[in-house]
Amino acid sequence: MDDAAGEEEASMFETSHVLGALLASSPLLARAWDRCAAATAAAPGLVHGEDGGTVYVGFSGVQAALSAAGAAVAGGGADAFAPVALAGDATRRLFAPLVAAEPDAAAAGGEQQVAVQALALQCFLKLCGSPDFQMLLDQIRGKAVVFTGHSLGGDIAALAALHYLCISSSTATWGPSPPVLCVTFGSPLLGNEALSKAILRERWGGNFCHVVSQHDVVPRLLFCPLDAVPAHVIVGMQLQQWPAVRPHHAGGAAVTDIDALRHLVQVHAGAVAMEQKLADAAAAPPSGGPYRPFGTYVMCSPDGAVCVDNPTAAVQMLYATFASSSSPGSPESSPEAAHSCYGDLVVKMPQHLLLKRRLPVDGDDNAPSPAVAASNYDAGVSLALEASGIHAMVRAAHATEASTARQWLRTSRRAGRRPSLNSAALATKLGRITPCRAQIEWYKALFDGEMGYYDAFKQRRSPKKFGKANMYRIKLGQFWDGVLAMLDAGQLPHDFHRRAKWVNAARFYQLLVEPLDIADYHRHNLHRTRGRYMTHGRERRYELFDRWWQEKGCVGGVSAALAMASRRRRSKNAGLTQDPCFWARVEEARELAESCRVERDAAALAMMVEELQEFESYSGELVVSKEVSTDVLAPLSSYTLWLEEWSQLKLRDEVRAILLQF
């Protein structure tokens, strides 16, 4: 496969350059920018109109800056751009799919919660509550929509697009993705890494296009620690670039030393880029500010544009393009001009594409060797570097940044074309791991007639057989954790978790192996030290597999028919108990029965008896409908023992009196 990949690389132009050229030559960016300019002059803060069958919705960053200017200047970046979790009362309903995708550990503080910067969220919530915005959502439903905005307006546009995607996905879970695109120009970073991962999980990365010029500090400023961010730079630039509002904030960003500002951004953006190069970056504390890129980044210069859709590569390119243009004393544009240059860029880029491009020559600092230059792919990378502005600006002092940019353009392309290949490779690995599953099925068959494989595993019956089953259990768990890690990182196709092959394989694995995990949890008495299995011990993979299986019946056709068939009355016992947490419920019922024997408080005893009666009803329905395997009914199984304990308990006078009340 590596040889095939090498041949493909040698025969193709660099993808990021080709996509950048295609985007720059299309009218999309120019139309979006025109809508941004119109929104700036609009009192409500947004405008919309149809162009070529597509509705363009522009959001004003000026109105947002005016409403937040006082707080931003007084409190600084730590207040204006503090991260706010979307799981709060005011936002959970607006962004339900993103919040629902969070692992439970995030809410408990074990992982990051999905969060966005306070200033953008505050402005969006104010806009979202207006009748004009709600009316707009009704008008654009079902149409192709482009949300767009410049600077702070871009962040508001991104939140509006996320909200629209959320409400669209909740009303049509299995329908096609809504035709939505968000185009931002020079907008600050919006969300943390958890937001980026949540967007990847929802497969919405391709709905966001962030246009960034080479010299613009605003899209890179929030790489800095928030207490070091001069918030008035972002707010001031947004206000000062428009003559209509210039008198209100005449000082604005000009009070910040330009060289010091560029140095601040370059140092912290470089630290984040270096952190993401590390092999163990996930285990290291995050550098700088909490915010990270998501979606596609379009690095542009008058020479062209380059598209990067890998979040890590986007960080590297944001740093490399800025570092190659930040030489002290160089005759560059002011920060204000660099932040307001997008109107000129969208005009110049298509014009430049009409001119003949030159390939690197031997005298260039970043020119590849003759052997490398012979590759069309490396020629495409060189064109991409030129389009991003790195090639034209590179000096000996910045050779490292240029080399890094070349490396990450390669990485971005490989990451973008691999999902289908990764899925095919996983299918092969699934075939190789299947014998482990077969060994556990054989282990189950050995004990089904005596005590069931759950109790045999819990009691370590036949130590040699137990050791092998435990080894296969661990191997299968590692395989599925690896699958989910790839899915979280966006390395698998967008519909991977909806494909019947993988949904069925995950479900079969869960029903077969989770009882062993429950047995292991209780054998080590973790239910006493950590808490109940279902709330404190269950692996995240099982919760996700539950969701995959529950959603399976939502799609029409074959999957719906299979889901309907699974709910019909069975003529014989299921091969595997259909409730993967059944044995955890049995363990809790046995502990509850034991507590009833020593309980002397009448009220507490009544509550326990009621819970036991509910479990008796629940488990009885599973047995009658034959949704349990034969191991559940084995003579020495925990469930059979519980039935005997419960029968004896019901003979006690105080318990019988309670049951008569029900």
Side-chain angles (χ1 to χ4, degrees):
M1 185 172 292
D2 291 339
D3 292 341
E7 292 177 3
E8 181 185 3
E9 181 176 283
S11 64
M12 294 183 65
F13 280 101
E14 206 283 320
T15 306
S16 62
H17 159 64
V18 174
L19 292 178
L22 179 63
L23 182 62
S25 61
S26 75
L28 173 65
L29 297 184
R31 290 175 179 174
W33 178 258
D34 288 344
R35 198 59 57 183
C36 290
T40 302
L46 68 91
V47 296
H48 62 92
E50 192 165 333
D51 192 343
T54 300
V55 179
Y56 287 78
V57 184
F59 294 85
S60 170
V62 172
Q63 302 299 328
L66 284 172
S67 65
V73 174
D79 294 331
F81 297 106
V84 177
L86 292 182
D89 294 337
T91 53
R92 176 181 291 275
R93 180 179 55 83
L94 300 177
F95 303 99
L98 294 176
V99 177
E102 288 184 345
D104 286 347
E111 297 182 21
Q112 276 189 338
Q113 288 185 278
V114 175
V116 299
Q117 41 138 315
L119 181 56
L121 183 60
Q122 175 188 352
C123 297
F124 170 73
L125 290 178
K126 181 178 179 181
L127 178 68
C128 189
S130 67
D132 290 342
F133 184 74
Q134 295 302 319
M135 187 179 301
L136 172 65
L137 291 180
D138 292 336
Q139 292 175 356
I140 64 177
R141 195 176 301 276
K143 299 180 180 179
V145 185
V146 175
F147 295 97
T148 186
H150 172 252
S151 196
L152 292 173
D155 284 342
I156 299 172
L159 286 172
L162 282 173
H163 173 58
Y164 186 66
L165 287 167
C166 285
I167 60 177
S168 299
S169 66
S170 63
T171 56
T173 305
W174 293 97
S177 299
V180 176
L181 179 65
C182 176
V183 180
T184 71
F185 296 90
S187 63
L189 295 171
L190 175 64
N192 61 358
E193 188 170 359
L195 175 67
S196 178
K197 290 181 178 179
I199 290 173
L200 285 175
R201 282 196 295 268
E202 296 299 318
R203 305 299 179 258
W204 293 342
N207 295 93
F208 295 87
C209 173
H210 307 285
V211 182
V212 176
S213 74
Q214 186 179 9
H215 307 289
D216 194 353
V217 299
V218 173
R220 302 165 171 94
L221 194 56
L222 293 189
F223 281 132
C224 304
L226 296 185
D227 56 1
V229 171
H232 64 279
V233 169
I234 296 178
V235 174
M237 283 188 191
Q238 180 73 80
L239 297 176
Q240 286 186 17
Q241 64 173 300
W242 304 104
V245 295
R246 183 177 298 174
H248 293 289
H249 288 270
V255 301
T256 301
D257 180 78
I258 293 177
D259 290 337
L261 177 62
R262 285 177 176 151
H263 178 73
L264 175 73
V265 173
Q266 186 171 344
V267 166
H268 290 291
V272 174
M274 181 60 67
E275 170 202 318
Q276 296 203 343
K277 288 182 188 178
L278 302 177
D280 195 24
S287 300
Y291 300 114
R292 295 295 182 266
F294 66 86
T296 299
Y297 268 73
V298 182
M299 312 296 176
C300 60
S301 73
D303 293 325
V306 175
C307 292
V308 181
D309 60 3
N310 178 276
T312 302
V315 172
Q316 304 297 327
M317 290 298 292
L318 282 167
Y319 166 66
T321 52
F322 189 75
S324 68
S325 66
S326 298
S327 300
S330 60
E332 295 171 337
S333 301
S334 67
E336 294 92 338
H339 188 54
S340 60
C341 70
Y342 294 95
D344 292 334
L345 280 177
V346 297
V347 173
K348 291 180 180 178
M349 285 190 296
Q351 295 174 351
H352 181 79
L353 288 172
L354 299 177
L355 303 177
K356 182 178 180 180
R357 290 186 180 275
R358 65 173 184 84
L359 292 176
V361 297
D362 294 340
D364 289 335
D365 293 330
N366 196 41
S369 66
V372 175
S375 164
N376 286 342
Y377 178 74
D378 282 287
V381 171
S382 297
L383 289 172
L385 292 176
E386 181 180 356
S388 67
I390 293 178
H391 188 273
M393 298 294 298
V394 73
R395 302 288 186 271
H398 299 303
T400 301
E401 285 78 9
S403 176
T404 298
R406 177 180 290 275
Q407 171 192 345
W408 283 100
L409 283 173
R410 289 171 172 269
T411 301
S412 177
R413 177 180 180 273
R414 294 192 189 103
R417 65 183 173 85
R418 287 287 175 166
S420 296
L421 294 178
N422 289 340
S423 181
L426 275 181
T428 302
K429 291 181 180 179
L430 178 64
R432 291 173 182 170
I433 206 74
T434 297
C436 295
R437 194 178 70 184
Q439 288 289 338
I440 294 180
E441 291 182 69
W442 177 74
Y443 177 82
K444 177 181 183 300
L446 286 178
F447 297 99
D448 272 1
E450 180 187 354
M451 63 172 53
Y453 81 123
Y454 169 80
D455 288 282
F457 191 85
K458 181 182 176 184
Q459 298 175 24
R460 298 188 63 172
R461 294 290 297 271
S462 185
K464 189 173 181 180
K465 294 183 177 65
F466 164 83
K468 289 185 177 180
N470 192 45
M471 177 183 67
Y472 297 136
R473 173 182 74 94
I474 294 172
K475 284 186 176 181
L476 287 168
Q478 291 173 341
F479 169 78
W480 284 105
D481 283 344
V483 171
L484 295 180
M486 295 179 68
L487 192 60
D488 287 343
Q491 297 173 358
L492 295 173
H494 71 281
D495 61 344
F496 178 86
H497 60 295
R498 298 176 178 177
R499 296 182 179 181
K501 172 187 178 68
W502 291 101
V503 174
N504 293 335
R507 182 65 174 179
F508 188 91
Y509 155 76
Q510 178 184 12
L511 295 181
L512 178 67
V513 176
E514 187 167 10
L516 302 186
D517 284 4
I518 297 170
D520 186 72
Y521 191 80
H522 283 82
R523 180 165 57 84
H524 289 95
N525 289 316
L526 296 180
H527 60 292
R528 302 187 188 281
T529 57
R530 294 184 185 176
R532 299 173 62 233
Y533 170 81
M534 287 184 286
T535 55
H536 295 88
R538 202 174 189 218
E539 296 288 348
R540 173 176 173 255
R541 59 176 175 269
Y542 295 134
E543 297 172 357
L544 290 177
F545 295 162
D546 278 343
R547 189 182 309 161
W548 293 6
W549 186 254
Q550 290 165 5
E551 292 177 347
K552 179 182 177 183
C554 296
V555 67
V558 176
S559 294
L562 291 174
M564 289 290 292
S566 69
R567 291 194 289 269
R568 294 172 186 159
R569 183 173 296 275
R570 297 175 178 272
S571 59
K572 61 181 181 179
N573 284 335
L576 294 167
T577 301
Q578 297 302 291
D579 178 2
C581 291
F582 177 80
W583 291 109
R585 304 184 204 278
V586 171
E587 293 286 358
E588 291 177 7
R590 293 197 70 184
E591 286 192 8
L592 203 57
E594 183 66 29
S595 299
C596 282
R597 292 191 184 92
V598 297
E599 184 60 56
R600 294 294 178 262
D601 181 83
L605 180 62
M607 292 179 61
M608 294 179 181
V609 169
E610 184 177 1
E611 289 185 39
L612 287 170
Q613 193 175 32
E614 289 176 358
F615 177 71
E616 179 187 31
S617 175
Y618 168 74
S619 60
E621 289 178 4
L622 291 181
V623 172
V624 170
S625 61
K626 300 185 182 299
E627 293 188 12
V628 296
S629 174
T630 55
D631 63 298
V632 172
L633 305 175
L636 297 179
S637 75
S638 290
Y639 177 70
T640 301
L641 295 178
W642 174 82
L643 285 177
E644 295 175 1
E645 295 164 0
W646 175 229
S647 298
Q648 294 173 6
L649 194 61
K650 288 192 289 186
L651 296 176
R652 294 177 56 179
D653 293 339
E654 58 271 31
V655 174
R656 190 160 51 184
I658 294 172
L659 291 174
L660 289 174
Q661 297 175 8
F662 291 150

